[in-house]
Tab-separated table of all heavy atoms in Angstrom:
chain	number	residue	atom	x	y	z
A	378	ARG	N	83.759	113.957	107.006
A	378	ARG	CA	83.431	114.977	108.011
A	378	ARG	C	81.990	114.872	108.474
A	378	ARG	O	81.610	115.469	109.475
A	378	ARG	CB	83.720	116.370	107.439
A	378	ARG	CG	85.199	116.644	107.228
A	378	ARG	CD	85.455	118.081	106.813
A	378	ARG	NE	86.844	118.229	106.417
A	378	ARG	CZ	87.248	118.521	105.187
A	378	ARG	NH1	86.359	118.704	104.226
A	378	ARG	NH2	88.516	118.638	104.902
A	379	ARG	N	81.180	114.114	107.728
A	379	ARG	CA	79.778	113.979	108.108
A	379	ARG	C	79.562	112.881	109.144
A	379	ARG	O	78.442	112.664	109.588
A	379	ARG	CB	78.932	113.686	106.857
A	379	ARG	CG	78.965	114.795	105.834
A	379	ARG	CD	77.939	114.553	104.745
A	379	ARG	NE	78.241	113.366	103.968
A	379	ARG	CZ	79.001	113.380	102.874
A	379	ARG	NH1	79.548	114.510	102.465
A	379	ARG	NH2	79.220	112.280	102.194
A	380	THR	N	80.597	112.138	109.502
A	380	THR	CA	80.435	111.003	110.385
A	380	THR	C	80.912	111.339	111.791
A	380	THR	O	81.591	112.334	112.022
A	380	THR	CB	81.204	109.784	109.861
A	380	THR	OG1	82.597	110.105	109.849
A	380	THR	CG2	80.757	109.434	108.458
A	381	ASP	N	80.536	110.457	112.748
A	381	ASP	CA	80.875	110.671	114.145
A	381	ASP	C	82.382	110.828	114.332
A	381	ASP	O	83.167	110.078	113.792
A	381	ASP	CB	80.377	109.487	114.989
A	381	ASP	CG	78.862	109.442	115.067
A	381	ASP	OD1	78.237	110.472	114.745
A	381	ASP	OD2	78.325	108.388	115.427
A	382	GLY	N	82.756	111.783	115.146
A	382	GLY	CA	84.151	111.955	115.519
A	382	GLY	C	84.948	112.778	114.537
A	382	GLY	O	85.672	113.695	114.922
A	383	LEU	N	84.851	112.480	113.266
A	383	LEU	CA	85.669	113.167	112.280
A	383	LEU	C	85.336	114.651	112.181
A	383	LEU	O	86.206	115.471	111.881
A	383	LEU	CB	85.515	112.492	110.913
A	383	LEU	CG	86.224	111.129	110.834
A	383	LEU	CD1	85.632	110.279	109.740
A	383	LEU	CD2	87.708	111.305	110.625
A	384	GLY	N	84.084	114.991	112.435
A	384	GLY	CA	83.698	116.396	112.380
A	384	GLY	C	84.292	117.217	113.504
A	384	GLY	O	84.267	118.457	113.457
A	385	THR	N	84.838	116.556	114.526
A	385	THR	CA	85.420	117.273	115.662
A	385	THR	C	86.903	117.561	115.466
A	385	THR	O	87.510	118.241	116.299
A	385	THR	CB	85.238	116.464	116.956
A	385	THR	OG1	86.014	115.259	116.880
A	385	THR	CG2	83.767	116.111	117.176
A	386	LEU	N	87.503	117.058	114.400
A	386	LEU	CA	88.930	117.262	114.179
A	386	LEU	C	89.202	118.712	113.796
A	386	LEU	O	88.431	119.339	113.082
A	386	LEU	CB	89.436	116.344	113.066
A	386	LEU	CG	89.318	114.837	113.287
A	386	LEU	CD1	89.912	114.088	112.106
A	386	LEU	CD2	89.973	114.404	114.586
A	387	THR	N	90.337	119.211	114.251
A	387	THR	CA	90.761	120.553	113.857
A	387	THR	C	91.320	120.506	112.437
A	387	THR	O	91.595	119.434	111.887
A	387	THR	CB	91.842	121.077	114.803
A	387	THR	OG1	93.022	120.269	114.652
A	387	THR	CG2	91.374	121.031	116.249
A	388	ALA	N	91.525	121.683	111.850
A	388	ALA	CA	92.076	121.752	110.496
A	388	ALA	C	93.456	121.108	110.435
A	388	ALA	O	93.777	120.379	109.491
A	388	ALA	CB	92.148	123.208	110.040
A	389	ARG	N	94.287	121.339	111.438
A	389	ARG	CA	95.623	120.752	111.445
A	389	ARG	C	95.563	119.239	111.621
A	389	ARG	O	96.341	118.500	111.014
A	389	ARG	CB	96.481	121.395	112.545
A	389	ARG	CG	97.933	120.876	112.646
A	389	ARG	CD	98.621	120.721	111.305
A	389	ARG	NE	98.770	121.934	110.566
A	389	ARG	CZ	99.870	122.678	110.561
A	389	ARG	NH1	100.914	122.333	111.274
A	389	ARG	NH2	99.930	123.766	109.811
A	390	GLU	N	94.626	118.768	112.439
A	390	GLU	CA	94.465	117.316	112.603
A	390	GLU	C	94.018	116.668	111.297
A	390	GLU	O	94.451	115.566	110.965
A	390	GLU	CB	93.484	117.026	113.732
A	390	GLU	CG	94.055	117.303	115.113
A	390	GLU	CD	92.997	117.357	116.207
A	390	GLU	OE1	91.785	117.280	115.888
A	390	GLU	OE2	93.388	117.496	117.385
A	391	ARG	N	93.182	117.371	110.526
A	391	ARG	CA	92.780	116.842	109.217
A	391	ARG	C	93.964	116.807	108.257
A	391	ARG	O	94.098	115.881	107.454
A	391	ARG	CB	91.623	117.667	108.640
A	391	ARG	CG	90.291	117.427	109.324
A	391	ARG	CD	89.130	117.950	108.486
A	391	ARG	NE	89.161	119.403	108.320
A	391	ARG	CZ	88.576	120.254	109.153
A	391	ARG	NH1	87.914	119.803	110.212
A	391	ARG	NH2	88.635	121.554	108.925
A	392	ASP	N	94.839	117.813	108.347
A	392	ASP	CA	96.049	117.810	107.524
A	392	ASP	C	96.917	116.591	107.853
A	392	ASP	O	97.432	115.907	106.960
A	392	ASP	CB	96.864	119.089	107.764
A	392	ASP	CG	96.185	120.334	107.209
A	392	ASP	OD1	95.303	120.191	106.338
A	392	ASP	OD2	96.537	121.446	107.662
A	393	VAL	N	97.092	116.340	109.136
A	393	VAL	CA	97.886	115.186	109.570
A	393	VAL	C	97.235	113.898	109.104
A	393	VAL	O	97.902	112.974	108.617
A	393	VAL	CB	98.049	115.196	111.105
A	393	VAL	CG1	98.686	113.893	111.588
A	393	VAL	CG2	98.891	116.392	111.537
A	394	LEU	N	95.919	113.833	109.235
A	394	LEU	CA	95.175	112.640	108.845
A	394	LEU	C	95.346	112.341	107.359
A	394	LEU	O	95.533	111.187	106.947
A	394	LEU	CB	93.702	112.846	109.180
A	394	LEU	CG	92.750	111.655	109.173
A	394	LEU	CD1	93.299	110.499	109.962
A	394	LEU	CD2	91.405	112.092	109.731
A	395	ALA	N	95.293	113.372	106.529
A	395	ALA	CA	95.466	113.196	105.092
A	395	ALA	C	96.845	112.636	104.772
A	395	ALA	O	96.993	111.732	103.943
A	395	ALA	CB	95.247	114.520	104.371
A	396	LEU	N	97.858	113.144	105.433
A	396	LEU	CA	99.219	112.661	105.197
A	396	LEU	C	99.412	111.246	105.725
A	396	LEU	O	100.134	110.434	105.128
A	396	LEU	CB	100.229	113.621	105.836
A	396	LEU	CG	100.286	115.001	105.160
A	396	LEU	CD1	101.076	115.985	106.014
A	396	LEU	CD2	100.893	114.889	103.772
A	397	MET	N	98.766	110.927	106.839
A	397	MET	CA	98.798	109.552	107.350
A	397	MET	C	98.225	108.588	106.321
A	397	MET	O	98.764	107.508	106.074
A	397	MET	CB	98.006	109.452	108.660
A	397	MET	CG	98.676	110.073	109.867
A	397	MET	SD	97.506	110.298	111.242
A	397	MET	CE	96.944	108.619	111.510
A	398	ALA	N	97.109	108.972	105.717
A	398	ALA	CA	96.438	108.109	104.756
A	398	ALA	C	97.277	107.881	103.514
A	398	ALA	O	97.178	106.839	102.874
A	398	ALA	CB	95.089	108.707	104.367
A	399	GLU	N	98.110	108.865	103.166
A	399	GLU	CA	99.008	108.685	102.029
A	399	GLU	C	100.137	107.717	102.359
A	399	GLU	O	100.887	107.293	101.478
A	399	GLU	CB	99.600	110.037	101.626
A	399	GLU	CG	98.591	110.970	100.977
A	399	GLU	CD	99.195	112.325	100.671
A	399	GLU	OE1	100.418	112.395	100.400
A	399	GLU	OE2	98.455	113.327	100.698
A	400	GLY	N	100.260	107.352	103.645
A	400	GLY	CA	101.302	106.418	104.057
A	400	GLY	C	102.546	107.091	104.597
A	400	GLY	O	103.582	106.450	104.738
A	401	ARG	N	102.462	108.396	104.878
A	401	ARG	CA	103.637	109.124	105.348
A	401	ARG	C	103.985	108.749	106.783
A	401	ARG	O	103.111	108.523	107.612
A	401	ARG	CB	103.384	110.633	105.290
A	401	ARG	CG	102.908	111.131	103.938
A	401	ARG	CD	103.952	111.031	102.860
A	401	ARG	NE	103.470	111.555	101.595
A	401	ARG	CZ	104.184	111.595	100.482
A	401	ARG	NH1	105.413	111.134	100.477
A	401	ARG	NH2	103.668	112.088	99.378
A	402	SER	N	105.262	108.699	107.090
A	402	SER	CA	105.726	108.448	108.452
A	402	SER	C	105.576	109.716	109.276
A	402	SER	O	105.367	110.814	108.742
A	402	SER	CB	107.191	108.017	108.435
A	402	SER	OG	108.009	109.105	107.999
A	403	ASN	N	105.717	109.573	110.595
A	403	ASN	CA	105.645	110.749	111.465
A	403	ASN	C	106.716	111.778	111.098
A	403	ASN	O	106.462	112.980	111.094
A	403	ASN	CB	105.797	110.334	112.923
A	403	ASN	CG	104.560	109.643	113.462
A	403	ASN	OD1	103.638	109.344	112.714
A	403	ASN	ND2	104.553	109.365	114.754
A	404	ALA	N	107.916	111.283	110.780
A	404	ALA	CA	109.001	112.196	110.421
A	404	ALA	C	108.679	112.946	109.130
A	404	ALA	O	108.937	114.145	109.012
A	404	ALA	CB	110.303	111.414	110.263
A	405	ALA	N	108.097	112.229	108.161
A	405	ALA	CA	107.747	112.866	106.890
A	405	ALA	C	106.647	113.906	107.093
A	405	ALA	O	106.691	114.997	106.511
A	405	ALA	CB	107.301	111.821	105.881
A	406	ILE	N	105.666	113.576	107.928
A	406	ILE	CA	104.583	114.529	108.215
A	406	ILE	C	105.147	115.783	108.876
A	406	ILE	O	104.773	116.912	108.521
A	406	ILE	CB	103.518	113.875	109.121
A	406	ILE	CG1	102.806	112.743	108.368
A	406	ILE	CG2	102.493	114.913	109.586
A	406	ILE	CD1	101.889	111.916	109.240
A	407	ALA	N	106.049	115.581	109.811
A	407	ALA	CA	106.654	116.724	110.496
A	407	ALA	C	107.384	117.628	109.497
A	407	ALA	O	107.288	118.853	109.573
A	407	ALA	CB	107.619	116.235	111.572
A	408	GLY	N	108.092	117.018	108.558
A	408	GLY	CA	108.815	117.795	107.566
A	408	GLY	C	107.894	118.572	106.646
A	408	GLY	O	108.146	119.743	106.328
A	409	ILE	N	106.811	117.940	106.220
A	409	ILE	CA	105.870	118.590	105.302
A	409	ILE	C	105.154	119.750	105.979
A	409	ILE	O	104.965	120.819	105.384
A	409	ILE	CB	104.862	117.561	104.764
A	409	ILE	CG1	105.570	116.553	103.851
A	409	ILE	CG2	103.725	118.241	103.996
A	409	ILE	CD1	104.731	115.351	103.489
A	410	LEU	N	104.735	119.550	107.234
A	410	LEU	CA	103.970	120.578	107.941
A	410	LEU	C	104.853	121.561	108.707
A	410	LEU	O	104.345	122.509	109.305
A	410	LEU	CB	102.984	119.907	108.908
A	410	LEU	CG	101.918	119.008	108.267
A	410	LEU	CD1	101.005	118.414	109.337
A	410	LEU	CD2	101.107	119.772	107.231
A	411	VAL	N	106.163	121.285	108.694
A	411	VAL	CA	107.146	122.133	109.387
A	411	VAL	C	106.796	122.250	110.868
A	411	VAL	O	106.632	123.339	111.432
A	411	VAL	CB	107.231	123.540	108.741
A	411	VAL	CG1	108.494	124.254	109.227
A	411	VAL	CG2	107.246	123.454	107.225
A	412	VAL	N	106.652	121.089	111.497
A	412	VAL	CA	106.443	121.011	112.945
A	412	VAL	C	107.360	119.912	113.478
A	412	VAL	O	107.999	119.198	112.722
A	412	VAL	CB	104.966	120.696	113.292
A	412	VAL	CG1	104.040	121.805	112.799
A	412	VAL	CG2	104.545	119.354	112.703
A	413	SER	N	107.416	119.772	114.782
A	413	SER	CA	108.255	118.735	115.372
A	413	SER	C	107.548	117.385	115.325
A	413	SER	O	106.320	117.308	115.235
A	413	SER	CB	108.582	119.086	116.823
A	413	SER	OG	107.402	119.019	117.628
A	414	GLU	N	108.344	116.317	115.404
A	414	GLU	CA	107.749	114.977	115.452
A	414	GLU	C	106.895	114.812	116.709
A	414	GLU	O	105.875	114.109	116.685
A	414	GLU	CB	108.846	113.908	115.422
A	414	GLU	CG	109.423	113.666	114.042
A	414	GLU	CD	110.264	112.406	113.987
A	414	GLU	OE1	109.742	111.319	114.327
A	414	GLU	OE2	111.448	112.513	113.618
A	415	LYS	N	107.306	115.459	117.785
A	415	LYS	CA	106.519	115.376	119.021
A	415	LYS	C	105.134	115.977	118.808
A	415	LYS	O	104.131	115.448	119.301
A	415	LYS	CB	107.252	116.100	120.144
A	415	LYS	CG	106.586	115.940	121.510
A	415	LYS	CD	107.452	116.519	122.616
A	415	LYS	CE	106.811	116.304	123.982
A	415	LYS	NZ	107.655	116.866	125.074
A	416	SER	N	105.064	117.073	118.051
A	416	SER	CA	103.766	117.690	117.755
A	416	SER	C	102.916	116.755	116.909
A	416	SER	O	101.706	116.633	117.127
A	416	SER	CB	103.966	119.020	117.023
A	416	SER	OG	104.592	119.973	117.866
A	417	VAL	N	103.557	116.090	115.945
A	417	VAL	CA	102.824	115.150	115.097
A	417	VAL	C	102.257	114.016	115.938
A	417	VAL	O	101.097	113.610	115.776
A	417	VAL	CB	103.738	114.588	113.985
A	417	VAL	CG1	103.032	113.452	113.237
A	417	VAL	CG2	104.133	115.686	113.017
A	418	GLU	N	103.071	113.502	116.861
A	418	GLU	CA	102.600	112.431	117.741
A	418	GLU	C	101.390	112.889	118.550
A	418	GLU	O	100.442	112.124	118.767
A	418	GLU	CB	103.723	111.991	118.674
A	418	GLU	CG	104.869	111.278	117.965
A	418	GLU	CD	106.041	111.013	118.885
A	418	GLU	OE1	105.949	111.360	120.090
A	418	GLU	OE2	107.058	110.484	118.409
A	419	LYS	N	101.423	114.144	118.989
A	419	LYS	CA	100.293	114.679	119.761
A	419	LYS	C	99.046	114.783	118.891
A	419	LYS	O	97.946	114.419	119.313
A	419	LYS	CB	100.660	116.048	120.324
A	419	LYS	CG	99.555	116.666	121.180
A	419	LYS	CD	99.990	118.007	121.764
A	419	LYS	CE	98.865	118.619	122.606
A	419	LYS	NZ	99.287	119.936	123.174
A	420	TYR	N	99.189	115.270	117.657
A	420	TYR	CA	98.046	115.369	116.751
A	420	TYR	C	97.454	113.979	116.492
A	420	TYR	O	96.234	113.802	116.504
A	420	TYR	CB	98.479	115.981	115.418
A	420	TYR	CG	98.782	117.455	115.476
A	420	TYR	CD1	99.959	117.961	114.919
A	420	TYR	CD2	97.908	118.362	116.071
A	420	TYR	CE1	100.250	119.316	114.952
A	420	TYR	CE2	98.194	119.727	116.114
A	420	TYR	CZ	99.374	120.190	115.556
A	420	TYR	OH	99.644	121.529	115.598
A	421	ILE	N	98.321	113.017	116.257
A	421	ILE	CA	97.843	111.663	115.964
A	421	ILE	C	97.132	111.072	117.174
A	421	ILE	O	96.094	110.418	117.049
A	421	ILE	CB	99.010	110.759	115.520
A	421	ILE	CG1	99.539	111.228	114.158
A	421	ILE	CG2	98.570	109.298	115.439
A	421	ILE	CD1	100.776	110.503	113.683
Side-chain angles (χ1 to χ4, degrees):
R378 292 187 189 115
R379 297 190 295 270
T380 63
D381 291 344
L383 287 158
T385 66
L386 299 182
T387 66
R389 181 44 62 97
E390 287 165 355
R391 287 196 296 270
D392 290 340
V393 171
L394 194 49
L396 292 168
M397 287 165 58
E399 289 176 31
R401 307 292 182 180
S402 67
N403 287 8
I406 294 172
I409 292 169
L410 298 180
V411 195
V412 298
S413 68
E414 282 193 56
K415 186 172 182 180
S416 294
V417 171
E418 292 173 2
K419 182 178 179 180
Y420 288 132
I421 292 174

